[in-house]
Amino acid sequence: MAGTNVEELIARGIRAANSGKTSLALECFEEAVERRNTPANWSYLAFCLAKERRQFDRAIQLCQEAIRKDPQNAVHYLNLGRVHLLAGRTKDAIHVFRQGLLYEANAHIEAELRKIGLRKPPVVGFLRRNHPINKYLGIMMKKLRLR
């Protein structure tokens, strides 16, 4: 991929990672990190390393470093959550995905949570989930983006 513009390389890597072609994305991000060492590139590289080479510990460290450098970017939380899922740590992944959604709405994070099939806890914990208070408070809080 020599001679390719860094922005094109990163864009190709992101498209490949989001469409499941992680071996291509790994090649792109290995070269992208060499050329431009940014938290976003580390984050995507980490996801690809976990998916293709099963290097979970290294991938988690890279994602955590990306989050430490750029804590308000939901993409880092998306990739860390994906790494946790690949490592079989579903609870950690759910926690990380929810943290990412606090910073910005991200369709990929929401899709991952839908795949897991997890529901949010009831608004009023001591009432049943289908109690009208929980039901309507939940709807209202979702519309106000408080939940």
Side-chain angles (χ1 to χ4, degrees):
M1 286 185 218
T4 306
N5 187 352
V6 178
E7 284 79 20
E8 291 174 18
L9 189 64
I10 293 168
R12 185 183 322 151
I14 290 172
R15 281 193 307 273
N18 288 334
S19 65
K21 300 173 185 171
T22 50
S23 60
L24 172 62
L26 179 61
E27 291 176 24
C28 292
F29 283 108
E30 282 178 331
E31 188 171 334
V33 166
E34 288 178 17
R35 292 188 191 183
R36 184 176 295 158
N37 199 359
T38 66
N41 292 345
W42 302 339
S43 176
Y44 277 106
L45 175 64
F47 168 61
C48 296
L49 285 172
K51 180 84 173 174
E52 292 298 316
R53 297 186 184 152
R54 316 298 285 174
Q55 296 177 359
F56 301 121
D57 292 335
R58 181 166 180 237
I60 289 170
Q61 288 174 347
L62 283 171
C63 283
Q64 288 173 339
E65 182 64 22
I67 289 171
R68 194 176 66 70
K69 296 270 187 187
D70 186 15
Q72 295 185 350
N73 188 341
V75 170
H76 306 323
Y77 296 91
L78 168 68
N79 288 324
L80 180 57
R82 286 174 170 172
V83 170
H84 280 305
L85 283 177
L86 291 169
R89 301 175 187 150
T90 306
K91 284 186 179 182
D92 293 335
I94 292 166
H95 177 73
V96 169
F97 286 146
R98 286 186 175 163
Q99 278 183 309
L101 288 175
L102 292 175
Y103 292 107
E104 66 182 82
N106 184 300
H108 294 291
I109 292 177
E110 291 169 359
E112 291 289 345
L113 285 171
R114 274 194 302 279
K115 274 195 248 178
I116 295 170
L118 190 72
R119 296 170 74 180
K120 294 179 183 171
V123 177
V124 181
F126 61 86
L127 295 175
R128 293 183 325 269
R129 179 177 297 283
N130 62 353
H131 192 280
I133 291 174
N134 265 331
K135 189 174 175 181
Y136 293 108
L137 275 177
I139 291 169
M140 191 170 56
M141 290 178 71
K142 183 176 181 183
K143 285 184 180 183
L144 295 173
R145 292 195 161 274
L146 296 173
R147 187 171 162 96

